[in-house]
Amino acid sequence: MSLITAGSAVIVFKVVKMKEINSIITEFVNSQHNSEKVFLATVVNVQGSTYRQPGARMLMTSSGKIVGTISGGCLENDVCEHTRLMTDGQIKVVTYDTSADEDIIWGFGLGCNGVVDVLIEHLIEDDLVNPLTFIHQCFCNQQPGIIATVFAVAGTINVQVGARLILNYNGGVNSNIVESALTQVLINDAQLALKNQNSSFHKYQLLSSEVNVFIELIKPPPNLIIFGAGRDAIPVANFGKALGWQVKIIDCRAIETSKERFIMADEVMLTRREILYQQISINEYTFAVIMTHNYFDDLEILKLLIPSNLKYLGCLGSKQRTERLLTDLQKDGEEFTSKQLQKLYAPVGMDIGAETPEAIALSIVAEIQAILKNRNGGFLKDRTEPIHYRNQTGEIKINQSPVLSEK
């Protein structure tokens, strides 16, 4: 009989560059067509100050291609050397302790004063717990999911480093963890992480054994909808794509040349405001910016979007213009709650003294990024809290889960 209890869990917030992970997935797909060996390095745990956070990934192919980063450029070469010594199917975790003076001797020169655990594995395309395949599915379905990865095992237990449990949004589970008691607790903690929309570290005690797991929340990229196809919308679309967001242009003037102007966008919709309500769908990952320069188009769009469940609604124009728009909507019988109006940002953008289209676009995208990460903007030098939420003693939460047993 084996007993398992859920130990401490440290809540963290996943910071992953969407453009980077999209590039990694693309390269993985291409490598499979070329029958190349592919290795994936993932930051699974950090202590202290580090350049990248848990969930950062780097893909390496047998032909020498490298996509993504796991540090500031100082660990990548050493991780690549490890892949040359790995046999098929081997998984290992390499720890880089940059808090010690020996860091200078090793030549990594990180200067971050932290500890980084990097999981390195040989990827197989049809593996049911392939993390890149699952992330790609989450992105395509616009649904979140959970990847639980074992990154440390102490004692005697039938659990391997690199073993995973994957939970999709609908509750479906794939796992290669054979210890059933651990699997059940992981499912419970994965479901909680999905509900709370955060990532976490967990330490599980099994009699004389201990298993450390990184439970990672996978969120689809934000959907940025830009209403308006003027030239000032071009840099907004460019910045959005540079961050790896899904960008959609909606042109209520229905001008065909808009498709050529916004070739960088994932979709360009040519329409009229009268039928707009039939053509767009909004979810919790949607961010919208109104920059049509047409008062009556803006009226119709605001009428449609303010009651929706999108996270952010920016509207180009002065405060006086916005107040007039809302007043006219009220005269037409529209009523909005204070909670609905809280997501309306008008004038749109952060106060950075922007005047040119590029600078205005920068202020808009920066504001969206702040909302996306639940930040208020401002200067980092004035911030009293850590820049990134990390594995710190003060953040430990003790799970009060009941003891599970397996006979």
Side-chain angles (χ1 to χ4, degrees), residues 383-400:
R383 184 174 174 83
T384 58
E385 299 178 16
I387 297 175
H388 302 294
Y389 293 92
R390 295 188 175 93
N391 182 350
Q392 296 179 337
T393 303
E395 297 173 6
I396 290 180
K397 293 185 178 181
I398 304 299
N399 287 346
Q400 301 298 327

Side-chain angles (χ1 to χ4, degrees), residues 9 20 48 129 141 151 159 174 189 212 255 262 269 272 302 337 392 405:
E20 182 178 71
V129 291
N141 297 332
F151 65 88
V159 176
N174 283 322
D189 287 338
N212 291 324
I255 298 177
F262 292 92
M269 177 186 292
R272 294 294 182 185
L302 287 172
T337 66
Q392 296 179 337
S405 65

